[in-house]
């Protein structure tokens, strides 16, 4: 059987991809392994026994760090950012389907934060709140700071979705007597639902992992990335690795659940 000969570029790209995967998952593998250190284990190899001791230690009161509180704050903040990002991105995508005065200026203003260093935005929001006599907090200033990061991505994704969306479907629905609300609910929304789920996952992930834009805006109580960073200078046990393993598995669980939801939506749309 004849097999096509691979080009040199294929092997170069394959080698580059292999290095990328190694660079991405190598550190995660090291953290995963070290999180199973025995009770007397340290922060480096070799392992001194194998146990779940440090995972159980996460549930205990820590001398330094507040795992549970910081996780709850990051989770709640991620959900808040996710909902607002999806809603505003959807409305922006619908609005920009028609040309209006100032559309170009508004677009460039909405994506300008992508080119501004995150720490500058964090510092600016923190200083602004201080000048206004307001106390920075994760649910106010940090919430706004995270939106400056997630909204531009969500808007750009919706622009790409509607750029490929044919208005013929909406015209057909209106010809059959559907109102504007019925057309959106029964035609447009089911077709863009997987993209909205993707935007929601993107917004949640960006907020949940954000460090720089939380640094000056989270106030008295840390989010999880700030808590982990603070622990790196104080914690000298593998409990830090156990926390990293748990948060990584949680991230993969969110991604898996989102992919399952998108697959379910696509099946329902095909069956319909």
């Amino acid at each position: 059987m004849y097999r096509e000969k691979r080009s040199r570029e294929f092997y170069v790209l394959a080698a580059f991809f292999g290095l990328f995967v190694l660079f991405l998952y190598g550190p995660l593998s090291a953290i995963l392994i070290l999180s199973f250190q025995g009770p007397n284990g340290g922060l480096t190899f070799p392992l001194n026994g194998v146990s779940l001791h440090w995972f159980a230690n996460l549930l205990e009161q820590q001398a330094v760090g507040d795992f549970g509180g910081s996780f709850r704050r990051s989770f709640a903040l991620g959900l808040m950012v996710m909902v607002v990002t999806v809603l505003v991105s959807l409305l922006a995508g619908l609005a920009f389907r028609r040309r209006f005065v100032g559309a170009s200026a508004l677009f460039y203003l909405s994506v300008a934060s992508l080119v501004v260093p995150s720490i500058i935005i964090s510092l600016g929001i923190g200083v602004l709140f201080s000048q206004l006599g307001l106390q920075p907090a994760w649910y106010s200033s940090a919430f706004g700071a995270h939106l400056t990061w997630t909204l531009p991505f969500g808007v750009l994704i919706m622009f790409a979705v509607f750029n490929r969306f044919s208005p013929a479907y909406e015209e057909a629905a209106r010809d059959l007597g559907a109102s504007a609300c019925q057309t959106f609910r029964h035609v447009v929304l089911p077709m863009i639902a997987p993209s909205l789920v993707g935007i929601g996952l993107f917004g949640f992930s960006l907020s949940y992992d954000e460090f720089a834009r939380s640094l000056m805006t989270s106030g008295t109580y840390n989010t999880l990335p700030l808590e982990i960073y603070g622990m790196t200078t104080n914690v000298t046990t593998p409990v830090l690795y156990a926390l990293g393993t748990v948060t990584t598995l949680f991230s993969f669980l969110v991604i898996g659940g989102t992919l399952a939801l998108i697959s379910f939506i696509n099946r329902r749309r095909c069956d319909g």
Side-chain angles (χ1 to χ4, degrees), residues 154-228:
V155 170
L156 289 174
I157 292 173
M158 286 310 304
F159 284 179
V161 169
F162 280 118
N163 188 51
R164 300 173 55 188
F165 189 87
S166 175
Y169 299 108
E170 298 166 277
E171 294 173 1
R174 286 193 292 268
D175 289 342
L176 293 174
S179 63
C181 291
Q182 290 174 326
T183 300
F184 175 77
R185 179 182 176 184
H186 297 290
V187 178
V188 177
L189 188 58
M191 298 183 71
I192 65 173
S195 299
L196 294 178
V197 173
I199 291 174
L201 172 63
F202 206 44
F204 179 86
S205 300
L206 290 176
S207 174
Y208 181 76
D209 298 328
E210 182 58 29
F211 173 81
R213 299 187 189 226
S214 305
L215 189 59
M216 305 291 182
T217 59
S218 62
T220 306
Y221 298 101
N222 286 339
T223 58
L224 188 58
L226 295 179
E227 197 72 26
I228 293 175

Side-chain angles (χ1 to χ4, degrees), residues 226-240:
L226 295 179
E227 197 72 26
I228 293 175
Y229 177 77
M231 291 173 56
T232 58
T233 59
N234 296 292
V235 177
T236 57
T237 64
V239 69
L240 184 59

